[in-house]
Amino acid sequence: WQMEEEWETCVPVMDFGWTAVVNPIFKLYTESTDGSFVEEKESAVVWHFQDADPDFGSWQAKELLDHLESVLANEPVVVKSGQQIVEVKPQGVSKGVVVEKLLTTMASQGSPPDFVLCIGDDRSDEDMFEIIDSAMTSLPKTLKREVFACTVGQKPSKAKYYLDDTVDVLNMIRGLATASDSLN
């Protein structure tokens, strides 16, 4: 891909009519949970509670998750909880889908990546770690490359490597940049 090229979407244009149901519910929970807020993304709506009282925020998140799963049961969406968030997004939209498209396109064009670094910090990154592993293992042995999937924080993960916190992430990236500069 060239920088001048048009952006591509990995999934067909979807109906976002479900946001008319989600937004008033998120508004209700935001109004009753000090420190919470709603983020509207291009392909998702997210309720954040990291600045709320930890116990009350967690309790509200569980209630919100149950509420949304109930009212959206017949909608083509996924309701997920993550690191101090509750997210609603269309089915089939994930970081894993994008990573799979990138890696398969690069491989089919005869130029698979020679180095993959993937870092994530919550459950929404797990499908991405799984896709990277399977996509890179499916390459012929002659095209095998270095793959580093890292999760931030010590927790069960499909990522092979762990970094303790964002300070470790920055230190690792600085180290990679220094090593890269020394090769040039």
Side-chain angles (χ1 to χ4, degrees), residues 63-78:
E63 292 291 314
L64 175 57
L65 191 69
D66 291 345
H67 188 165
L68 290 170
E69 285 174 341
S70 170
V71 299
L72 297 172
N74 296 321
E75 295 289 338
V77 297
V78 175

Side-chain angles (χ1 to χ4, degrees), residues 64-151:
L64 175 57
L65 191 69
D66 291 345
H67 188 165
L68 290 170
E69 285 174 341
S70 170
V71 299
L72 297 172
N74 296 321
E75 295 289 338
V77 297
V78 175
V79 180
K80 295 172 89 172
S81 63
Q83 198 164 337
Q84 297 177 313
I85 64 156
V86 174
E87 177 180 51
V88 182
K89 64 183 179 180
Q91 290 174 343
V93 174
S94 74
K95 297 171 191 173
V97 170
V98 174
V99 166
E100 184 174 37
K101 168 102 171 150
L102 282 169
L103 294 175
T104 56
T105 300
M106 292 173 76
S108 71
Q109 292 175 348
S111 54
D114 56 359
F115 176 85
V116 176
L117 173 62
C118 180
I119 302 172
D121 68 351
D122 75 19
R123 279 185 265 170
S124 69
D125 300 311
E126 292 301 315
D127 59 340
M128 180 174 56
F129 296 143
E130 186 174 13
I131 294 292
I132 284 175
D133 186 48
S134 65
M136 296 306 281
T137 5
S138 68
L139 289 173
K141 287 191 188 321
T142 56
L143 297 178
K144 291 289 183 223
R145 303 297 193 247
E146 296 296 327
V147 178
F148 299 92
C150 306
T151 191

Side-chain angles (χ1 to χ4, degrees), residues 46-68:
V46 185
W47 183 73
H48 295 262
F49 63 96
Q50 63 263 27
D51 296 329
D53 174 78
D55 293 331
F56 186 67
S58 294
W59 182 77
Q60 286 286 80
K62 174 70 175 119
E63 292 291 314
L64 175 57
L65 191 69
D66 291 345
H67 188 165
L68 290 170

Side-chain angles (χ1 to χ4, degrees), residues 18-19 22-41 44-51 64 68 84-88:
W18 52 267
T19 59
V22 170
N23 287 333
I25 296 170
F26 274 176
K27 184 176 186 221
L28 178 69
Y29 280 81
T30 301
E31 288 172 352
S32 64
T33 312
D34 287 342
S36 67
F37 64 95
V38 176
E39 175 187 14
E40 293 200 34
K41 297 182 174 183
V45 184
V46 185
W47 183 73
H48 295 262
F49 63 96
Q50 63 263 27
D51 296 329
L64 175 57
L68 290 170
Q84 297 177 313
I85 64 156
V86 174
E87 177 180 51
V88 182

Side-chain angles (χ1 to χ4, degrees), residues 157-168:
S157 176
K158 293 175 183 159
K160 188 175 178 181
Y161 301 98
Y162 296 85
L163 296 166
D164 286 327
D165 51 32
T166 54
V167 172
D168 282 353

